[in-house]
Amino acid sequence: MAVTVDIVALTLREGALHVLLVERGGKPFQGTWALPGGFVRPGRETLDEAAARELAEETGLDAAALERVHLEQLGSYGDPGRDPRMPVVTVAYLAFAPDLPEARGGGDASAAAWIPIADVDLGAVTRNAAEPDASALRPPEQGRGHGIDGGGSVPRPAEGAPPARSPLQPAFDHARIIADGLDRARAKIEYTPLATAFLGEEFTIVELRGVYESIWGSPLHAGNFHRKVLSVPGFVESTGATAARGGARGGPRARLYRAGDARLLHPALLRPDREESVR
């Protein structure tokens, strides 16, 4: 039995939640997209070290930059047949940080890209070792200017290739792992200040609201959100400065905040659907 690590790395790009995926360069599932990860080096590294190494290989983050990435264990997955090569148990990690760099293929990955969560089929079942469906090999074509480098970071199908199919179906049981990671992120930002980990050192309340809306997948009332955030002790603290520019409709420039010293949010910021259910 082998042990691997897989990383659900989340970040915000142009206001949308993205997950890091790599195109597999070898079998099984060659040419399909999967979570970054790999085998743990026995006797040479811990699980946490293996996860940090794999994340660095796919993003180019150095040791100093990794310090600002939130990285935590998500869960263990060991269903029989999840990997056709041998019995494999994977320990999944959840990672997120602001402004993660352009993805790059490392190890046995031929390519890597930040893919919008909305383009991933999170209901896909564990796939078997058969040859992958050619129509599900690549993410939906995003067009010029929508890639993380402004020019389309997701590889485009070659001339004559079957058209891309949406949504993307990840290899192995990675759809389940991504779904679990998204559920963890949605829950943690209710009770902890980890939503601020998606932002820079200074941010506006509007930017913080954008994090919640992207992760929860629903719009929030601006006034109510502003009031709730400022009512939670230690959630955010004012920097005393304002944004460089005013709002799109003019008016005063927004105040800038930084993360406070709270470890838990009390009262919690519940998702709209959960807030209704507890009343």
Side-chain angles (χ1 to χ4, degrees):
M1 179 176 290
V3 177
T4 61
V5 292
D6 288 303
I7 300 98
V8 182
L10 303 175
T11 195
L12 291 177
R13 294 184 177 273
E14 298 182 356
L17 188 65
H18 286 59
V19 63
L20 178 63
L21 296 180
V22 298
E23 185 180 31
R24 291 185 54 79
K27 295 182 178 180
F29 308 114
Q30 184 174 4
T32 62
W33 290 78
L35 291 170
F39 290 95
V40 177
R41 297 168 178 172
R44 298 170 54 189
E45 61 185 357
T46 65
L47 291 171
D48 290 357
E49 290 169 345
R53 171 178 56 80
E54 290 289 345
L55 183 60
E57 287 179 358
E58 308 298 350
T59 61
L61 290 173
D62 57 23
L66 280 172
E67 290 294 326
R68 65 187 179 92
V69 176
H70 176 81
L71 186 66
E72 66 176 65
Q73 279 194 21
L74 174 63
S76 300
Y77 301 81
D79 289 353
R82 63 173 303 274
D83 191 314
R85 293 168 292 187
M86 67 182 86
V88 175
V89 172
T90 193
V91 179
Y93 280 76
L94 177 64
F96 42 81
D99 304 320
L100 287 175
E102 180 177 353
R104 68 183 190 187
D108 62 353
S110 60
W114 292 102
I115 308 298
I117 281 285
D119 292 345
V120 181
D121 182 2
L122 298 184
V125 297
T126 302
R127 301 175 61 184
N128 57 35
E131 285 298 314
D133 182 353
S135 64
L137 292 184
R138 295 186 179 276
E141 187 172 352
Q142 298 183 39
R144 182 174 178 82
H146 289 280
I148 58 178
D149 56 358
S153 59
V154 177
R156 297 168 182 268
E159 290 293 330
R165 185 178 68 188
S166 180
L168 180 150
Q169 296 180 6
F172 302 103
D173 54 355
H174 290 182
R176 173 189 172 191
I177 298 175
I178 296 170
D180 288 349
L182 185 56
D183 285 345
R184 172 76 65 84
R186 286 171 172 166
K188 293 208 76 166
I189 63 173
E190 287 186 305
Y191 299 99
T192 75
L194 284 176
T196 60
F198 285 91
L199 300 169
E201 185 176 348
E202 297 182 346
F203 50 84
T204 66
I205 299 297
V206 171
E207 291 170 334
L208 182 60
R209 188 177 83 242
V211 173
Y212 278 88
E213 291 179 334
S214 297
I215 296 176
W216 285 347
S218 60
L220 301 174
H221 187 278
N224 288 344
F225 180 83
H226 193 284
R227 175 180 52 80
K228 290 179 180 179
V229 167
L230 296 186
S231 69
V232 178
F235 187 6
V236 299
E237 59 183 32
S238 175
T239 66
T242 57
R245 298 180 180 179
R249 300 181 180 180
R253 293 180 294 182
R255 295 181 180 179
L256 291 175
Y257 295 83
R258 64 170 68 92
D261 58 3
R263 298 291 181 225
L264 295 174
L265 303 184
H266 184 72
L269 273 71
L270 299 180
R271 280 169 277 181
D273 54 338
R274 281 171 46 79
E275 192 172 29
E276 291 295 327
S277 65
V278 298
R279 287 180 179 175

